[in-house]
């Protein structure tokens, strides 16, 4: 199974460099350019490692790390930072980071540290094979989706979109996060691609149902879950 790494880095040049290198080595890479989006994605639980910049907009790296550990998320974290004094490294490690690498760094060294962490098996999240929301169920092994016992046929992108939403039940997911997590866009293409796919998905899972599950949160994003 291809291993996934979450890269939380606001510098586009650095993020491109790391992501391209990791993908050449066979890893899948999800990216976030600020601490809040990074923290949101990190709750997914499917990453073998998180590479976390310390100085981030919105929510700094240390706050992200504290929130993860406070929530009991044990995914290994490697901090990347221009702050390289002994005190900075000690603070990072004692706050829950598994490793600390200072900038500038050699990609070969970062790769070696990631592979070491992955081999340790520090993160051993329970493998989730079925995702559920109310009477909607997705079997990740058979790739079957059903609601109330009725099978739902989805196109590949619709399936990926629903899987992403089901991994974040009752959470508001922004357009930016959907573009990165489902379409692998790290920019807004300025099209209605999300709206078109959500409309099709909503029709397939909610049409004829007494309880709609897919909701648009005006001005914020989208949410799957029972109506509050």
């Amino acid at each position: 199974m291809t291993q996934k790494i979450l890269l939380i880095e606001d510098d586009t040049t650095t993020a491109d460099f790391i992501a391209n290198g990791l993908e050449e080595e066979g890893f899948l890479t999800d990216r976030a350019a600020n601490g809040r989006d990074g923290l949101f994605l990190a709750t997914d639980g499917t990453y073998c490692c998180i590479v976390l910049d310390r100085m981030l907009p919105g929510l700094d790296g240390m706050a992200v790390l504290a929130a993860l550990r406070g929530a009991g998320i044990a995914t290994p974290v490697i901090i990347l930072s221009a702050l390289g004094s002994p005190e900075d490294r000690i603070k990072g490690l004692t706050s829950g980071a598994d490793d600390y690498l200072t900038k500038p760094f050699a990609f070969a060294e970062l790769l070696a540290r990631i592979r070491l962490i992955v081999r340790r098996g520090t993160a051993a999240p329970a493998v989730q094979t079925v995702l559920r929301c109310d009477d909607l169920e997705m079997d990740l092994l058979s790739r079957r989706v059903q609601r109330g016992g009725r099978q739902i046929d989805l196109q590949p992108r619709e399936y990926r979109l629903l899987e992403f939403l089901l991994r974040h039940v009752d959470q508001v997911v922004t357009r930016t996060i959907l573009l990165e997590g489902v379409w692998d866009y790290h920019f807004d293409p300025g099209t209605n691609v999300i709206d078109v796919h959500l409309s099709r998905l909503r029709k397939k899972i909610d049409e004829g149902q007494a309880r709609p599950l897919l909701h648009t949160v005006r001005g914020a994003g989208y949410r799957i879950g029972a109506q509050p």
Side-chain angles (χ1 to χ4, degrees):
M1 181 181 295
T2 304
Q3 293 169 311
K4 288 173 59 179
I5 292 176
L6 176 59
L7 173 61
I8 310 176
E9 168 64 66
D10 65 320
D11 182 79
T12 303
T13 301
T14 301
D16 287 344
F17 172 69
I18 295 173
N20 290 338
L22 290 174
E23 286 163 11
E24 287 173 356
E25 295 294 329
F27 292 97
L28 289 177
T29 308
D30 288 343
R31 293 166 54 170
N34 63 72
R36 295 189 186 281
D37 286 351
L39 178 58
F40 182 90
L41 290 174
T43 62
D44 185 291
T46 62
Y47 299 103
C48 65
C49 181
I50 298 171
V51 178
L52 175 65
D53 185 22
R54 184 164 171 174
M55 301 172 70
L56 293 165
L59 196 66
D60 68 39
M62 297 303 294
V64 171
L65 180 60
L68 289 175
R69 298 306 185 235
I73 296 172
T75 306
V77 173
I78 298 177
I79 290 180
L80 285 181
S81 180
L83 303 174
S85 72
E87 291 78 12
D88 290 319
R89 294 196 297 272
I90 290 168
K91 182 178 180 181
L93 293 169
T94 56
S95 296
D98 297 83
D99 206 344
Y100 195 108
L101 187 59
T102 57
K103 299 179 180 179
F105 60 92
F107 176 75
E109 182 179 1
L110 174 61
L111 180 62
R113 294 183 183 218
I114 289 173
R115 284 179 168 160
L116 178 61
I117 278 178
V118 171
R119 280 200 303 271
R120 285 183 199 152
T122 308
V127 177
Q128 210 173 356
T129 60
V130 178
L131 303 177
R132 293 185 179 87
C133 176
D134 199 72
D135 60 347
L136 177 65
E137 181 178 291
M138 171 181 281
D139 189 316
L140 299 175
L141 297 181
S142 67
R143 296 184 67 83
R144 292 184 60 183
V145 177
Q146 58 182 9
R147 181 167 185 191
R150 177 180 63 87
Q151 185 167 332
I152 300 172
D153 295 321
L154 300 177
Q155 295 298 315
R157 189 70 70 177
E158 294 168 348
Y159 182 94
R160 188 173 177 183
L161 175 58
L162 180 59
E163 179 185 354
F164 192 91
L165 291 169
L166 285 173
R167 291 189 183 277
H168 300 92
V169 171
D170 287 327
Q171 299 179 44
V172 177
V173 183
T174 67
R175 286 180 60 87
T176 298
I177 288 175
L178 283 178
L179 285 169
E180 291 189 338
V182 179
W183 278 268
D184 296 320
Y185 290 163
H186 303 293
F187 61 94
D188 191 334
T191 68
N192 65 343
V193 61
I194 291 179
D195 302 308
V196 169
H197 282 81
L198 277 166
S199 177
R200 292 174 182 167
L201 185 59
R202 180 181 282 115
K203 185 174 182 180
K204 290 184 177 183
I205 68 173
D206 281 344
E207 192 171 75
Q209 298 289 337
R211 301 184 306 279
L213 296 179
L214 188 53
H215 311 284
T216 299
V217 182
R218 189 176 300 277
Y222 310 92
R223 182 181 67 83
I224 194 166
Q227 192 70 270

